Amino acid sequence: MGWLSFEEWQAVQLSLSVALRSVVFGLPPAVLVAWVLARGRFPGRGMLDALVHLPLVMPPVVIGWLLLVFFGVRGPAGSLLQDWFGIRLVFTTGGAALATAVMSFPLIVRAVRLSLDAVDPGLEAAARTLGAGPIDRFLTITLPLIAPGILSGAITAFAAGLGEFGAVITFASNIPGETQTLPLAIYAATQTPGGEGVAARLAAISFALAVGGLLLADFAGRRLQALLGRVPR
Amino acid sequence: MLEVALRHAFPGFLLEAAFTAPTPGVTALFGPSGCGKSTILAAVAGLLRPQAGRVAVDGRVLFDAARAIALPPERRRCGVVFQDARLFPHLSVEGNLRYGLRRAPRGAAGLDTAEVVRLLGLEHLLRRRPVALSGGEKQRVALGRALLSRPALLLMDEPLAALDAARKAELLPFLARLRERLSIPLLYVTHALDEVDRLADTVVLLQGGRVQASGTPEELSARTDLPLLAARRDAGAVLACTVLGHAPERGLTRLGFSGGELLVPLEAVPPGARLRVRVRARDVSVATEPPPALSVQNVLPAVLEAVEPGPPHQAMLRLRLGASVLLSRVTGDAVRRLQLAPGMTLWALVKSVAFSHDPAPP
């Protein structure tokens, strides 16, 4: 990588790793929450819906601060993790991934929920009459039909996760090689005299990754729709 | 025996229906839209839980509100064919057929894949996706999928209602063939009388969420006290006939029924086969003497049993022919002019062409 310094290259790799981890760990609970919100009828559903969407409307710094309170070494969850598993999240790559996952959670939930709403409940009823139980039904009918939504949600969340700034810097700090992802490296470069060139290069990479991610999400979504037989091939 | 008794109050609509039907056999739930027939089907399948009632097939209880029994749909073994087919779009036709078969109870009796594919003519469709099928093909696949789940009871919710006349004409023979082959009871929801005539062994007449009458198509069609049937343009007695023979050179088929014989346009049915025909009341005229030199092929001696009042200036005549009944709709003026009174011997005249099927649209 001739045109990128070791630190810059590290920031790119770290961003990719953090975004990937945030999607891998965020996806299953996001699908579950989307399913509960789309199909469940229970008191407190509105509250859950609002809670899931909080990261979209709250300042990311506040989310980071809340994570710090909750998952900090002395926080209720943080101390448990530390004592039982020896896991420390604050100021670590894992912590950056957690902050990113929380921020992109609503993006996945929204995408999955939209595709769940598009699944005809009549198909699930038909599967029931053919002898399929609830888990069987979910795995063989619902999940394949919402796969395009899951995929596009995951790619969008990944692309957005590459650029998460406020929550990451608040919760995980700006440690090169540990938590300094692309946007944090750009920020650091702009704070350094003569860092304009570094900032411009990293910004260009950031832009390319984001656009590439969105294009990929669109393409994969349409490809999958055809595979699922929604539109004639 | 199929036993159904249900009570469910919807806002503004009360369903309170009970009927029994012999098994195996085809029971048609017939009535205008909004009479509750599809709701009954959903309750039998378990997709709707009624507030009270009981559903049992040959003694196996699927639902009993009093005993707090309500099997979930996946354990009822009711194959359902929905009006909108509901094929799984992400599976091929073959995948759809297998979906039911894989979940059928081990050792359950029923048709095998090869036979279902042949019976329903699905050979060339197996690799296709549902999105590439016509409406009639979709319904055939849906029927095959339901059959291969080895159901103990087959439910069909207006399977032909969403199809145009040509597709409907294409599918009806499949259903008729299936009816001969099937050893499980079939509950068939429809608002089309021709499907009832063709398929049903028992008819349950529904209106406003209640059962108006039930019985064989022959019994119900001969009743004049059921406005749902008698007030229709195609009201008329249904006769259970046996094909006696064909006269291809005359273009006629000879049918026998208990009470006489009928000549109808040539039918593609082998001699000895059973065939049901509806003799529409408006196609039957009467004469007080055997008329000479007439184009009408069917002149049947009958006894006038009753003259029932009908719409203004019309009357319905009940004619007895041996064990069978024919209905004839005539003007009030004709009743007065011929001084028709119960007990008279009459000749019922039915043109053969009255039985010709409506030509299927291309």
Side-chain angles (χ1 to χ4, degrees):
Chain A
M1 279 296 127
W3 51 284
L4 276 185
S5 74
F6 173 71
E7 284 77 19
E8 289 162 16
W9 182 234
Q10 208 175 31
V12 172
Q13 278 183 312
L14 199 60
S15 261
L16 292 171
S17 149
V18 163
L20 187 67
R21 277 200 249 179
S22 77
V23 170
V24 168
F25 288 104
L27 198 56
V31 172
L32 185 73
V33 167
W35 187 78
V36 166
L37 286 176
R39 293 290 146 87
R41 293 286 171 271
F42 55 91
R45 183 167 153 271
M47 273 303 290
L48 180 64
D49 198 13
L51 196 69
V52 166
H53 286 91
L54 267 188
L56 278 187
V57 289
M58 277 212 316
V61 179
V62 177
I63 299 290
W65 177 76
L66 283 174
L67 287 173
L68 210 50
V69 170
F70 206 63
F71 286 98
V73 186
R74 273 185 266 287
S79 59
L80 278 182
L81 283 172
Q82 174 89 59
D83 295 348
W84 291 7
F85 305 105
I87 297 174
R88 191 172 63 99
L89 285 172
V90 216
F91 310 140
T92 63
T93 315
L98 174 68
T100 306
V102 171
M103 289 306 295
S104 55
F105 197 73
L107 295 177
I108 311 185
V109 171
R110 283 175 81 89
V112 174
R113 201 174 151 186
L114 275 178
S115 55
L116 264 173
D117 287 342
V119 172
D120 176 9
L123 292 177
E124 287 162 357
R128 275 196 103 168
T129 64
L130 292 166
I135 297 171
D136 187 0
R137 257 182 345 253
F138 181 77
L139 292 178
T140 56
I141 306 298
T142 316
L143 201 58
L145 291 178
I146 62 169
I150 294 179
L151 187 75
S152 74
I155 297 178
T156 314
F158 179 78
L162 290 172
E164 184 46 43
F165 181 79
V168 173
I169 202 166
T170 313
F171 181 57
S173 186
N174 192 350
I175 306 163
E178 187 76 34
T179 69
Q180 193 181 68
T181 55
L182 262 177
L184 274 62
I186 295 172
Y187 172 73
T190 59
Q191 301 298 304
T192 316
E196 292 83 2
V198 178
R201 279 202 300 279
L202 292 179
I205 295 175
S206 192
F207 177 78
L209 285 173
V211 171
L214 287 178
L215 289 178
L216 182 67
D218 182 54
F219 170 76
R222 265 183 296 146
R223 202 50 230 266
L224 218 56
Q225 291 283 12
L227 270 177
L228 290 173
R230 292 280 183 72
V231 283
R233 261 181 284 187
Chain B
M1 191 168 67
L2 173 65
E3 304 159 67
V4 177
L6 300 169
R7 200 193 128 86
H8 194 85
F10 294 94
F13 180 73
L14 176 69
L15 175 73
E16 197 163 25
F19 62 90
T20 60
T23 56
V26 180
T27 306
L29 297 181
F30 176 79
S33 26
C35 70
K37 51 196 193 303
S38 291
T39 310
I40 293 177
L41 198 88
V44 172
L47 298 172
L48 172 114
R49 191 167 176 168
Q51 285 142 357
R54 190 182 123 92
V55 178
V57 188
D58 295 328
R60 181 170 160 259
V61 178
L62 303 181
F63 175 76
D64 192 335
R67 286 160 58 199
I69 297 174
L71 289 185
E74 55 265 36
R75 284 180 43 220
R76 291 203 178 191
R77 300 193 56 213
C78 292
V80 186
V81 180
F82 299 92
Q83 187 178 334
D84 52 350
R86 298 195 190 175
L87 299 180
F88 304 132
H90 58 299
L91 301 177
S92 65
V93 167
E94 199 176 3
N96 270 281
L97 293 176
R98 267 210 308 258
Y99 196 92
L101 186 61
R102 276 223 200 99
R103 288 158 182 82
R106 248 171 247 282
L111 307 176
D112 61 26
T113 313
E115 183 161 18
V116 166
V117 166
R118 195 171 41 78
L119 202 64
L120 298 173
L122 302 176
E123 295 90 347
H124 61 291
L125 303 177
L126 289 176
R127 311 213 68 81
R128 286 209 215 152
R129 284 298 182 91
V131 73
L133 301 180
S134 73
E137 289 168 339
K138 277 184 191 156
Q139 281 305 24
R140 267 147 63 196
V141 176
L143 179 55
R145 183 178 69 176
L147 285 173
L148 285 173
S149 70
R150 306 273 159 88
L153 171 66
L154 190 60
L155 308 173
M156 302 180 82
D157 189 2
E158 307 207 34
L160 306 182
L163 306 179
D164 58 42
R167 297 280 150 271
K168 197 171 152 173
E170 163 199 318
L171 205 62
L172 253 176
F174 285 109
L175 292 179
R177 234 195 291 170
L178 182 72
R179 179 181 177 269
E180 302 297 316
R181 186 65 191 75
L182 216 57
S183 54
I184 55 167
L186 198 163
L187 196 56
Y188 190 97
V189 165
T190 183
H191 65 256
L193 208 50
D194 56 332
E195 294 167 32
V196 174
D197 291 350
R198 187 85 180 258
L199 302 168
D201 299 308
T202 308
V203 187
V204 177
L205 203 61
L206 285 158
Q207 192 166 31
R210 284 164 189 278
V211 175
Q212 299 286 310
S214 69
T216 65
E218 290 85 353
E219 284 165 13
L220 289 195
S221 65
R223 282 175 61 173
T224 45
D225 59 329
L226 302 167
L228 212 52
L229 294 178
R232 294 172 63 104
R233 249 180 85 76
D234 54 356
V238 168
L239 299 177
C241 303
T242 310
V243 179
L244 298 177
H246 300 293
E249 71 289 350
R250 294 170 66 198
L252 294 172
T253 291
R254 207 156 54 89
L255 303 177
F257 65 97
S258 57
E261 287 184 16
L262 273 181
L263 285 169
V264 301
L266 209 53
E267 289 274 350
V269 184
R274 295 189 308 137
L275 195 71
R276 226 187 240 142
V277 295
R278 171 172 290 268
V279 189
R280 284 177 297 230
R282 64 190 170 100
D283 292 334
V284 180
S285 13
V286 292
T288 49
E289 285 166 37
L294 210 60
S295 72
V296 175
Q297 296 278 8
N298 298 294
V299 181
L300 306 157
V303 176
L304 179 59
E305 248 186 13
V307 181
E308 317 256 358
H313 306 298
Q314 284 191 17
M316 188 74 100
L317 309 179
R318 271 179 74 84
L319 305 167
R320 169 65 62 181
L321 297 86
S324 301
V325 166
L326 274 187
L327 296 181
S328 167
R329 182 172 282 161
V330 295
T331 56
D333 179 66
V335 175
R336 284 188 296 277
R337 200 157 39 81
L338 300 178
Q339 295 176 337
L340 298 178
M344 282 174 79
T345 298
L346 296 174
W347 278 263
L349 315 177
V350 193
K351 291 161 74 89
S352 284
V353 289
F355 297 97
S356 61
H357 303 290
D358 297 328

